[in-house]
Amino acid sequence: MTAIHLRDQQAAKDAAGVPGPAATQRGAPGTRPPATRRMAQWLTAFVFTVPALVLFAAFVLLPILFALYSSLFNWGGFGMPSDFTGLGNFRKLLDDPVFLGDLWRGLLLVAFGIVFQLPFALAMAVLLNQRLRGRAVYRMLFFAPYVLSEVITGVLFSMIFAPGDGLADKILSTVGLESLGGRWFADPSTVLPTLFLVMTWKYFGFHMMLYLAGLQGIPAELHEAATIDGAGAWARFRHITLPLLGPTIRISVFLSVIGAIQLFDLVWVISEGGPDHASETLAISMFQYGFKRYQVGYAAAISVAMFLISLAFAIAYQRFVMRRDTEGAITTMRARS
C-alpha cells in the first residue's frame, strides 16, 4: 500500500508539473548551471566596478595621457597644441639649472625625512606605547598638526617666523640670541632647514600613529619572555620591536618619499619657492611655468618627469624593499583560498 501511495503522489506531482528528485538533480527549471552563476557574479561585479573605473579614467588616466601629449608641444595653454617639439621639452629639462636644483632639493628633503623625521616619530611612538598617565591626550596633541590643512600650517608658521615681529624672533631676543633671528624664510641658507622643521611638525604625527598601530600588533608575551631571559630595553627594541615593525617602517618610508617628491602647498604658502629658488620643489616649478609663465608644454614635461620618478621609485621599492611583505601577503591569500 505504501508503494502504491508514493506512486500516486509522484503521478499527481508530474501532472501538476512539479519536478521529482531525479529531475532536480538533472538540472530542472529554476536551477542555473555553474557557468551561468559565474557569469552572473562577474556581471554584478562589473556593474558595481564601472562607476569607479569611469571616475579613475576621467580624473587619473586621461589627465596623465593629456599631460604626456601636451609635453610634446611648445604650448601656452590656449587653444589646441600645435607647435610640435617632440622631446624638446625633456631635453630642456636636463639643461635647466632650476629643474636640476629642484631634484637636488627634493633629494635633500627625502634624506632629512628618513634620517630625522621618521626616527623621531618612531621614538615618540615607542614612548607613547608605554603605560603613561594621559598618553591618549599626548597622542591626540601630537597627531593634531597632521589634521590641520597645509594652508593653515603655512600661514601659522609664516607668522611665527616673521622677521622681527614673529614669535621665534621674540623668543631669541628674550634669551639674548637676536642675531640668529630674522632670516628663517628670507635667507637661502636657512629657508630649507626651517621649512623642514615645519614639515616635521606637520607630518611626524601621521608616521607616529602608523608606528603605534604596528607596535600594538606585537605580542606582549615576546617582550615578557625576553625580559625573563635578561634582555634589556635596547636589546628588546633591537631584536624584537624593530624586526616585527619592519613592514610598518617600510610603508612609512615609502609614503615619506612620495610625499617629499610631490610637496607643493605647504611650501607655496610659506615661501612660494623662494628666495631665489632656494626652497622650490618640482611641483612648485611646474606651477610656476604652467600658471605664471604660461609655458604649459614645459610644465607638462615637468609633471611627466615627476610621474616617472614616482613610478620608478614605487616599482623599485616594491621590487627590492617590500618584496618579502608582498610575497607574504600573496602566500597568505593563496593559503586561505
Side-chain angles (χ1 to χ4, degrees):
M1 292 296 293
T2 303
I4 296 174
H5 181 66
L6 291 176
R7 186 181 59 190
D8 293 340
Q9 284 185 343
Q10 185 59 44
K13 290 180 179 180
D14 293 339
V18 179
T24 304
Q25 293 176 358
R26 289 192 302 268
T31 61
R32 293 184 295 181
T36 306
R37 288 199 303 270
R38 283 196 298 269
M39 182 63 68
Q41 292 173 355
W42 279 102
L43 182 61
T44 303
F46 177 76
V47 169
F48 280 100
T49 307
V50 164
L53 292 177
V54 171
L55 292 176
F56 182 77
F59 294 103
V60 178
L61 293 182
L62 290 181
I64 291 175
L65 294 176
F66 184 73
L68 182 60
Y69 173 75
S70 59
S71 67
L72 304 177
F73 293 85
N74 184 17
W75 182 42
F78 300 96
M80 291 301 297
S82 58
D83 187 6
F84 182 77
T85 60
L87 299 178
N89 287 325
F90 295 97
R91 287 192 294 266
K92 183 180 176 181
L93 284 179
L94 299 178
D95 296 329
D96 189 354
V98 175
F99 175 77
L100 298 178
D102 294 344
L103 289 178
W104 171 246
R105 283 182 289 273
L107 184 62
L108 285 179
L109 290 178
V110 169
F112 284 159
I114 294 176
V115 174
F116 297 106
Q117 179 177 305
L118 299 188
F120 176 65
L122 178 59
M124 296 304 299
V126 172
L127 178 63
L128 295 181
N129 196 45
Q130 309 298 319
R131 298 189 177 212
L132 297 175
R133 178 177 297 179
R135 64 177 180 177
V137 177
Y138 293 130
R139 292 176 181 178
M140 180 189 67
L141 291 176
F142 291 146
F143 185 70
Y146 181 74
V147 179
L148 296 177
S149 70
E150 280 75 5
V151 175
I152 293 176
T153 302
V155 172
L156 174 64
F157 278 92
S158 296
M159 298 171 61
I160 291 176
F161 290 110
D165 297 331
L167 178 62
D169 283 359
K170 291 185 179 298
I171 293 176
L172 290 177
S173 298
T174 303
V175 298
L177 298 175
E178 59 274 2
S179 61
L180 299 178
R183 296 179 294 180
W184 306 118
F185 298 123
D187 193 322
S189 62
T190 59
V191 61
L192 205 58
T194 309
L195 180 63
F196 177 73
L197 181 65
V198 177
M199 291 173 55
T200 301
W201 181 85
K202 175 74 173 70
Y203 297 113
F204 94 95
F206 170 74
H207 297 280
M208 182 195 71
M209 295 303 291
L210 285 180
Y211 296 145
L212 273 173
L215 288 171
Q216 292 175 2
I218 299 176
E221 293 80 4
L222 297 177
H223 290 280
E224 294 173 358
T227 303
I228 294 174
D229 291 338
W234 172 249
R236 295 196 303 271
F237 176 77
R238 178 182 176 185
H239 297 289
I240 297 178
T241 303
L242 273 183
L244 295 179
L245 202 61
T248 305
I249 294 176
R250 288 186 281 273
I251 289 292
S252 176
V253 171
F254 177 79
L255 296 176
S256 177
V257 173
I258 294 297
I261 294 174
Q262 301 175 353
L263 184 65
F264 170 75
D265 38 10
L266 183 62
V267 182
W268 178 258
V269 173
I270 291 177
S271 64
E272 296 186 5
D276 194 22
H277 306 289
S279 62
E280 193 169 272
T281 62
L282 289 173
I284 287 182
S285 182
M286 176 187 65
F287 180 83
Q288 292 277 15
Y289 279 106
F291 295 95
K292 294 286 188 178
R293 306 177 188 178
Y294 298 103
Q295 300 180 23
V296 180
Y298 188 66
I302 297 177
S303 69
V304 172
M306 288 177 57
F307 172 75
L308 294 177
I309 291 171
S310 301
L311 180 63
F313 168 75
I315 294 175
Y317 193 83
Q318 183 175 359
R319 176 67 177 83
F320 298 105
V321 179
M322 299 183 63
R323 183 175 181 179
R324 291 185 302 170
D325 302 334
T326 55
E327 286 180 351
I330 294 174
T331 303
T332 303
M333 293 176 60
R334 289 177 178 175
R336 290 180 179 176
S337 61

